[in-house]
Amino acid sequence: MIKDQSIKIFPTVETLAKTFAELLKQNVDKTDDNDFYSIALSGGSTPNKIFRYLSENFVDKINWKKIKIFFGDERCVPPDNEDSNYRMANESLLKNISIPKENIFRIKGENNPVKEAERYEEVLKSNLPSLNGIPQFDLILLGLGEDGHTASIFPNQVNLFYSARLCEVAVHPQTKQKRITLTGKIINNAKLVVFIVTGKNKANVLSKIMDVNKSKSVYPASFVNPKNGKLTWFLDLEASKMFDNKSNNDVIER
Ligand code: 6PG
């Protein structure tokens, strides 16, 4: 049972991005001046649209100096590689905002994967507050793959979600590309986890994940359940069309 979950469905990606941006601004504005707001960014194509919206509309509306940026996963490639999640985030957002370079904590995809997973775990421990002895993010952004993966935890490597580590080395089941990923230990310790899922190609897997009776044990995304935090789904209409437990207050008309 997901403790504290909300589902927000938007008619367009633009309205979704606007509401997400406003949520981010609200949370950063609430952060004490001597504190910071920590975010782990997701990769892939979906967040690219959200990051571009932030660059076009919220550069001067959010106090980016109060934010520390981390990554939920990274492909084991150099930062200038077209597969790099850092490169995507930098091109679509980071280079456009006034965030101090020291506030960006890149997973170094160019490093030896095992050593980088160890290094990044130390980065998390020394740059985040902790709850119950586990580093705690203010916000973790997650995407959803058509196979139900999230971050870089794939259905054939569910053990990584339950790892005792904070970071693990994953292998993409098709491309065999190595990835560094956060594990469920830190994901489920976050104050807020936001899934951003759009497009009709995600509708099928999303309907299975939303039906808790069907989703257990196969879809890593279904294991995301922040123990002391909130889980919010930001969906567009296309992605949400196949599940029927929508309540009236879920659809945001903007
Ligand atoms: C990655 C992501 C991954 C992504 C999903 C959805 O590194 O690829 O972290 O988990 O969120 O694969 O990707 P799309 O947004 O491209 O559909």
Side-chain angles (χ1 to χ4, degrees), residues 101-120:
K101 290 280 170 278
E102 62 272 18
N103 283 20
I104 299 173
F105 300 86
R106 180 173 73 85
I107 298 176
K108 296 181 178 175
E110 68 275 24
N111 284 356
N112 168 283
V114 172
K115 291 198 181 323
E116 181 55 18
E118 291 166 359
R119 185 194 74 85
Y120 206 67

Side-chain angles (χ1 to χ4, degrees), residues 229-247:
K230 291 185 178 181
L231 172 60
T232 302
W233 295 81
F234 275 59
L235 312 173
D236 70 354
L237 276 174
E238 282 195 330
S240 71
K241 67 185 176 188
M242 284 177 67
F243 70 89
D244 50 16
N245 58 347
K246 297 191 259 294
S247 64

Side-chain angles (χ1 to χ4, degrees), residues 19-57:
T19 305
F20 175 77
E22 288 164 349
L23 171 69
L24 178 61
K25 172 175 172 51
Q26 200 177 47
N27 289 354
V28 174
D29 287 349
K30 279 192 293 193
T31 304
D32 289 349
D33 285 344
N34 59 355
D35 202 352
F36 62 86
Y37 191 77
S38 59
I39 306 173
L41 301 182
S42 61
S45 58
T46 304
N48 193 330
K49 302 164 200 157
I50 311 304
F51 298 166
R52 290 197 182 284
Y53 180 89
L54 284 167
S55 288
E56 288 153 17
N57 301 281

Side-chain angles (χ1 to χ4, degrees), residues 47-107:
N48 193 330
K49 302 164 200 157
I50 311 304
F51 298 166
R52 290 197 182 284
Y53 180 89
L54 284 167
S55 288
E56 288 153 17
N57 301 281
F58 275 73
V59 164
D60 300 323
K61 293 180 184 168
I62 291 177
N63 184 353
W64 299 98
K65 291 181 173 53
K66 284 171 70 176
I67 292 178
K68 286 188 176 178
I69 298 266
F70 299 79
F71 289 81
D73 67 329
E74 184 56 278
R75 290 79 180 278
C76 292
V77 295
D80 58 354
N81 183 295
E82 64 180 12
D83 268 3
S84 166
N85 285 338
Y86 168 78
R87 176 181 168 184
M88 180 274 287
N90 188 48
E91 290 298 312
S92 57
L93 177 64
L94 303 181
K95 70 179 188 180
N96 304 318
I97 56 176
S98 54
I99 184 168
K101 290 280 170 278
E102 62 272 18
N103 283 20
I104 299 173
F105 300 86
R106 180 173 73 85
I107 298 176

Side-chain angles (χ1 to χ4, degrees), residues 180-198:
I180 308 292
T181 185
L182 296 188
T183 63
K185 183 172 184 178
I186 191 167
I187 290 171
N188 279 345
N189 204 45
K191 289 181 184 172
L192 172 62
V193 177
V194 171
F195 271 102
I196 298 182
V197 186
T198 62

